[in-house]
Amino acid sequence: MSAPTTSSDRGGFQSRLGFILAAAGSAIGLGNIWRFPYTAGENGGGAFIALYLLCVLGLGVPVMLAELAMGRATRHNPVGAYARLGGRRWAAAGGLGVVTGFGILAFYSVVAGWTLGYLWHAVSGTFAQPIDAKTSGALFSGLISDPVWAVVLAGLFLALTMVVVRAGVGGGIETASKILMPVFFVLLLGLALRSVTLPGASKGIAFMFEADFSKIRAPVVAAAMGQAMFSLSLGMGAMITYGSYFPRHENLVVAGVSVAFFDTLIALLGGFLVFPALFAAGIEPSAGPGLVFVVMPTIFHHLPAGQLFAVAFYALLAIAALTSTISLLEVVVSYFVDERGWRRPRAVYLVGGACFLLAVPSALSQGALPALSDVLGTGQGWLDWQSVVFGTYSLILGALLTCVLVGWRWGAEAARAVVEEGGHRLPMAALWSVLVRYVCPLAVVAVLVYVIRTGASF
Ligand code: PHE
């Protein structure tokens, strides 16, 4: 293959550690602390967790290595990577990834904006006094249905993201990750330790791990697959893009597996943080996204140093979200830099600005503009709709396309050679090839067909 042309605005990571922190930052996000605990709680607890681990090992890790290899081989954004490896027609698969990244960023930054609003409340002492569930619910709906606040907070979050991405891959993304990720780990460990040592915490751990296998049906399998893809930032080209900045000759397998390992560990720790604290405060966990925004505020004042706990908790969420929105924006920006020859700042401003426009209906759909969901007939609200379309099904489809391209079109052998570049062996290479060529695509197709035919949702 001829050496790909690279624009001077591409840049790259300076070290393997920098890459791991940035990629782990992308993977570790609201998905781990906000989506994973409630999805697990709703869908059979320990049974869902077992299924999820299976999805991470059988689908997540193989697709992660495939995406990283695509990026490393081509040194291009998803559209360029698919086109170079599969031919012009495959560019559309990369295009789907870029559009999906844009779509996820639009709803993700709305929820991320809420974390800033809550961080503000925590700092200013709102959670230092006792708050009952009703007041907490009113506070949440007040925040998310206030058109000005909802839009301003999402815009603020996007602006923060844009500042980092504008500074480039090495100078912006890598530097920010090297500062933010250690802070994140310390906060999470501290909070989880505090939570599991509270009296009565064991009930929370039991809630998370008690397995109810009767809940495991096809839509739940789709949810587990979707959650694994979402949480590992797969299926939309984030890892293709980050892989394209991976330092040559470094060990890709170690890097990819570390990212998957940390992401899964943090999702489980997220459960250890949320559920024991809830049960210790004698509160039944409610299902749904309200968990971190409605239920958590009611427990802070029960805890020793509750205000500190609250500040740390929402700072943790905001940091987790920021390192993820950075990677979402970078996917779209890298497309315009590589394929359209735009300068990085221009790409950042235009893509970020356009994303803000798309985020507005999401921000307003939470009560400020209820009519929108009626118009769309989704009955769920624009934000939930975006979350399911972009955050679950698009990603499953994207993972399928990656498997077909890497397993069949480009070829597992050629991909393996790229993974092993620098003399780092891929352990169980034959198994990886079977997973990418047969197991992953078949599993994904089976679930998609079932869900489409039955119209089931989760
Ligand atoms: N992995 C992120 C999370 O768990 C979300 C994300 C998805 C980020 C896709 C980038 C790409 O919150």
Side-chain angles (χ1 to χ4, degrees):
M1 192 173 36
S2 61
T5 48
T6 43
S7 124
S8 59
D9 265 15
R10 277 209 112 241
F13 293 113
Q14 311 295 323
S15 65
R16 187 173 81 191
L17 181 68
F19 166 85
I20 292 179
L21 289 174
S26 167
I28 296 164
L30 296 173
N32 302 62
I33 317 241
W34 170 66
R35 233 171 90 143
F36 181 79
Y38 85 74
T39 314
E42 263 177 352
N43 293 313
F48 181 87
I49 294 177
L51 184 66
Y52 178 78
L53 292 179
L54 199 70
C55 290
V56 168
L57 285 177
L59 186 63
V61 172
V63 173
M64 168 81 75
L65 292 177
E67 283 202 18
L68 291 176
M70 287 174 68
R72 180 190 241 186
T74 59
R75 306 252 121 196
H76 267 75
N77 68 93
V79 173
Y82 269 104
R84 274 171 178 72
L85 296 170
R88 266 277 127 227
R89 273 203 275 157
W90 276 91
L96 175 72
V98 172
V99 170
T100 304
F102 191 74
I104 295 179
L105 183 57
F107 77 80
Y108 203 91
S109 46
V110 172
V111 183
W114 301 345
T115 67
L116 288 185
Y118 268 71
L119 181 58
W120 171 246
H121 274 301
V123 171
S124 59
T126 310
F127 307 130
Q129 300 106 29
I131 291 187
D132 59 22
K134 222 173 128 212
T135 321
S136 178
L139 183 81
F140 182 57
S141 44
L143 181 95
I144 67 172
S145 65
D146 180 324
V148 177
W149 268 113
V151 172
V152 166
L153 289 172
L156 194 62
F157 210 91
L158 273 172
L160 276 175
T161 309
M162 286 159 69
V163 168
V164 176
V165 175
R166 189 194 177 286
V169 178
I173 300 177
E174 185 167 352
T175 309
S177 308
K178 278 183 170 163
I179 300 168
L180 293 174
M181 290 316 285
V183 176
F184 172 86
F185 285 127
V186 171
L187 286 177
L188 181 64
L189 272 183
L191 287 174
L193 271 178
R194 180 67 275 230
S195 191
V196 294
T197 48
L198 290 166
S202 56
K203 276 203 222 131
I205 298 173
F207 171 80
M208 182 158 152
F209 285 100
E210 232 156 61
D212 178 0
F213 282 94
S214 69
K215 290 222 170 128
I216 303 300
R217 294 167 192 275
V220 174
V221 177
M225 280 184 179
Q227 175 62 20
M229 294 297 107
F230 183 80
S231 191
L232 294 168
S233 302
L234 296 173
M236 44 70 66
M239 291 301 159
I240 300 178
T241 308
Y242 274 18
S244 77
Y245 303 127
F246 192 73
R248 287 249 168 231
H249 307 301
E250 284 285 1
N251 194 329
L252 198 76
V253 183
V254 167
V257 171
S258 312
V259 171
F261 173 78
F262 283 125
D263 184 66
T264 308
L265 184 73
I266 301 283
L268 294 174
L269 276 179
F272 278 115
L273 158 58
V274 175
F275 292 127
L278 287 184
F279 279 86
I283 290 164
E284 282 294 309
S286 81
L291 199 59
V292 297
F293 293 113
V294 180
V295 183
M296 287 303 281
T298 63
I299 68 170
F300 294 127
H301 74 275
H302 290 296
L303 309 176
Q307 189 181 353
L308 197 66
F309 195 105
V311 173
F313 181 70
Y314 290 109
L316 171 98
L317 279 182
I319 292 176
L322 182 60
T323 48
S324 296
T325 51
I326 289 171
S327 70
L328 288 162
L329 181 59
E330 179 59 28
V331 170
V332 190
V333 165
S334 72
Y335 162 76
F336 284 104
V337 170
D338 287 350
E339 305 298 313
R340 307 272 158 172
W342 289 10
R343 313 262 339 150
R344 176 171 281 272
R346 175 171 187 229
V348 169
Y349 296 136
L350 290 181
V351 174
C355 196
F356 176 65
L357 294 182
L358 189 63
V360 170
S362 271
L364 297 181
S365 69
Q366 301 302 302
L369 201 61
L372 193 64
S373 57
D374 298 342
V375 172
L376 288 167
T378 60
Q380 269 188 314
W382 180 250
L383 188 137
D384 304 282
W385 181 82
Q386 270 185 323
S387 163
V388 171
V389 169
F390 293 117
T392 301
Y393 289 106
S394 279
L395 300 184
I396 300 184
L397 188 63
L400 173 66
L401 292 169
T402 301
C403 289
V404 174
L405 178 98
V406 171
W408 297 93
R409 173 91 191 156
W410 182 24
E413 270 313 300
R416 176 185 167 186
V418 173
V419 171
E420 294 189 333
E421 234 172 57
H424 309 285
R425 213 175 57 80
L426 171 64
M428 296 187 268
L431 175 64
W432 178 70
S433 165
V434 171
L435 287 172
V436 169
R437 285 165 64 94
Y438 302 103
V439 179
C440 302
L442 287 176
V444 166
V445 168
V447 169
L448 279 181
V449 166
Y450 183 89
V451 173
I452 291 166
R453 279 190 48 190
T454 59
S457 65
F458 48 86

